[in-house]
Amino acid sequence: MSFEFVQSFPYDPISSLLRKFAYGLVTTCVLGTAVYIGYRVAAPDKSYIKRYRYPELNDQIEKVIASLKINDEQLKHIMRTLEEEMNTGLSPTTHKQSSVKMFPSYVRHIPDGTEVGQVLALDLGGTNFRILSIKLRGNSKIDLTSKIFVVPQSVMIGDGRHLFRHLVECLSDFMKKEALLHTGICYPLGFTFSFPCKQESLSSARLTAWTKGFSCSGVVNEDVVKLLQDAINEKGINVKCAALVNDTVGTLMACAYREPSTAIGLILGTGTNACYIENLDNVGTWNGDYNEPKQVIINMEWGAFGDNGCLNHIRTKYDEEVDLSSINPGKQTFEKMISGMYMGEIVRLIILDLLQQELLFLGHRDTYGDYKTPLYNRGGFYTKFVSTVETDEGIKFSNTRRVLEDIGIRNPTFDDCVIVQHICRQVSTRAARLAGAGLAVLINRMKKSNITIGVDGSLYRYHPRFKRNMERCMENLVHKDLKFKWALSDDGSGKGAALVACVAEQNSSGIFVQNHKEVPDYKKSE
Ligand code: ADP
Ligand code: MG
């Protein structure tokens, strides 16, 4: 019987395989769906999982976080205020009252990639002091060599003449290594000097105040280009400082060399600032000529937007605390809500507030009170931590856990991680939306149908969603028929200064830069 059975249902290896495969497929689908549902339920993107296990705590946390939210209507109001401040800053009669100073940069020619020349640049005022040698090849390509030098603390706070002598010593060393000394050519130099200056022409600018740890004597109110050129002449090297530029202008120029549609320069680093191309007719404070091109790059100094109180309605108690404990209270209101120097500190203050309200790190109360840990100290939560926390996807929170351990919270719970990530997202999204609203004002004002925004700065470069968040809010704020794209600038501030110097020198030699293809023969300056 059994033999017959076997015979009437012979073993078929193919259908057996197919059956196994089908079982396998069904099992995989069921398991896969279960895992997916599990993941989505626990995924931090879902608003319901941002909820604490105790609903009443969750409401209190949301109340704290709500103060950071700025909706589209509020953003549109901020845009109108910014544009009013810009116009106030551009008019000579009202300039003093504006929080946005709108300084004309004296840079009027935008490169188009055809420029050629061998130029030097000196970049002082960012995180590093750098010297660059740049060869513009005329086909939007640049050959670049650069070196970072140290400015010793004693020089940063010493006699101004020593500072400029030190810069020139470094420049001379660099030129020697690059075989640029005594070549019979006087190289134009672009000076990126990222300190507040009142510019009087392309190659003269008076320092209004030192910042960022510098305080050399005998420099405030002096023409820093002249101080640099005096030191160059004293050393007897073949260099002429042809232009001083702000880092936003450098960024715009460097990006324009590759992408001529660039019309905005944006910095999102230690600080934030922007520049754009404005029609001369709108610049009441302009004291130069009205020749073509009838435009000038305006260094907005937008970091100071709100210093006259016009942004008080969106400031939170955390912003006020950051401001009061800064070295410049009452100054750089917009910057303090956006840039890398302050973002981590805002997050830290919110975490501390939640901790003190017993809304966070509930399971670890016995480990608190160690006031030496970074959590309790100003600057203890770096802005790069905000990026790290926000790169976590899913439910493991391995980056967030690492960051929390770094600031002194051992074994944080899942809830702790979710809440800390939520805080980081709210603070960085607010920053991105404010910067996006500022850019939208510029794009709508220039009315160019396709423009490129040149950007430099570690916050833009490394934060995982800053750019995306700016873009998202700009979709609702920029006029629908105006398109824009981004260009990340590498070495932008130095390269751009070199370009400005190159264009300035070629113009002063009577050469029409945009069409000139040969390296001009610079005569050695005396
Ligand atoms: P600078 O503005 O001085 O020229 P950067 O553009 O490098 O220099 O910006 C430095 C700032 O960027 C620092 O204040 C720091 O807070 C911030 N930063 C550095 N790394 C990151 C990161 N991974 N994510 C976000 N911000 C960062
Ligand atoms: Mg910089």
Side-chain angles (χ1 to χ4, degrees), residues 316-490:
T316 65
K317 61 178 179 177
Y318 311 107
D319 297 308
E320 280 160 21
E321 222 171 314
V322 163
D323 180 51
L324 285 175
S325 61
S326 70
I327 57 158
N328 51 354
K331 300 257 164 25
Q332 301 297 94
T333 307
F334 198 51
E335 178 165 272
K336 284 173 180 163
M337 288 193 272
I338 296 176
S339 78
M341 190 158 179
Y342 309 98
M343 187 183 288
E345 181 63 5
I346 298 175
V347 169
R348 187 185 74 87
L349 291 173
I350 298 173
I351 291 178
L352 268 187
D353 192 20
L354 292 185
L355 183 79
Q356 275 147 11
Q357 293 186 46
E358 303 192 3
L359 296 169
L360 192 58
F361 309 141
L362 299 181
H364 297 265
R365 305 209 49 77
D366 48 332
T367 60
Y368 303 144
D370 182 358
Y371 293 105
K372 288 196 205 92
T373 57
L375 176 62
Y376 288 97
N377 287 289
R378 191 154 72 86
F381 196 100
Y382 302 133
T383 298
K384 69 176 179 197
F385 289 169
V386 178
S387 294
T388 311
V389 166
E390 288 193 54
T391 38
D392 269 335
E393 309 232 350
I395 57 173
K396 270 180 72 186
F397 288 108
S398 44
N399 290 317
T400 307
R401 286 177 196 284
R402 228 179 40 236
V403 164
L404 288 177
E405 286 188 14
D406 275 2
I407 62 163
I409 303 295
R410 284 179 294 279
N411 302 320
T413 64
F414 173 79
D415 284 346
D416 293 335
C417 294
V418 170
I419 300 298
V420 167
Q421 188 181 63
H422 189 48
I423 296 168
C424 289
R425 283 188 176 173
Q426 294 302 322
V427 172
S428 71
T429 303
R430 182 184 71 154
R433 285 170 65 78
L434 287 171
L439 292 171
V441 169
L442 304 184
I443 296 170
N444 292 343
R445 184 178 173 100
M446 283 188 280
K447 296 193 181 70
K448 296 186 184 175
S449 54
N450 281 297
I451 75 155
T452 300
I453 304 164
V455 199
D456 199 1
S458 295
L459 179 58
Y460 176 86
R461 202 180 287 260
Y462 300 121
H463 188 280
R465 54 186 88 211
F466 204 92
K467 175 183 165 194
R468 206 185 319 156
N469 286 337
M470 281 196 291
E471 260 166 0
R472 275 200 192 140
C473 89
M474 287 165 74
E475 269 167 28
N476 299 332
L477 305 177
V478 171
H479 295 155
K480 292 283 168 266
D481 47 340
L482 303 177
K483 302 273 170 274
F484 64 90
K485 61 182 195 299
W486 309 87
L488 180 62
S489 146
D490 286 317

Side-chain angles (χ1 to χ4, degrees), residues 4 14 48 54 62 70 117 131 147 180 205 285-287 302 312 323 328 377 379 385 390 424 443 450-451 469 473 505:
E4 275 174 21
I14 294 183
Y48 52 82
Y54 317 96
E62 279 309 319
I70 303 177
I131 297 180
K147 186 161 186 230
L180 296 171
T285 50
W286 178 246
N287 58 3
W302 84 3
N312 284 357
D323 180 51
N328 51 354
N377 287 289
F385 289 169
E390 288 193 54
C424 289
I443 296 170
N450 281 297
I451 75 155
N469 286 337
C473 89
E505 273 306 279

Side-chain angles (χ1 to χ4, degrees), residues 87-102:
N87 291 331
T88 312
L90 286 169
S91 161
T93 50
T94 52
H95 174 83
K96 273 211 173 104
Q97 287 109 42
S98 177
S99 63
V100 186
K101 288 299 173 201
M102 306 295 282

Side-chain angles (χ1 to χ4, degrees), residues 154-168:
S154 59
V155 175
M156 287 169 74
I157 55 171
D159 183 334
R161 277 169 308 179
H162 288 149
L163 170 69
F164 287 95
R165 279 187 195 138
H166 175 74
L167 302 184
V168 171

Side-chain angles (χ1 to χ4, degrees), residues 123 126-127 247 267 456-457 493:
D123 187 350
T127 307
D247 52 359
I267 299 290
D456 199 1
S493 44

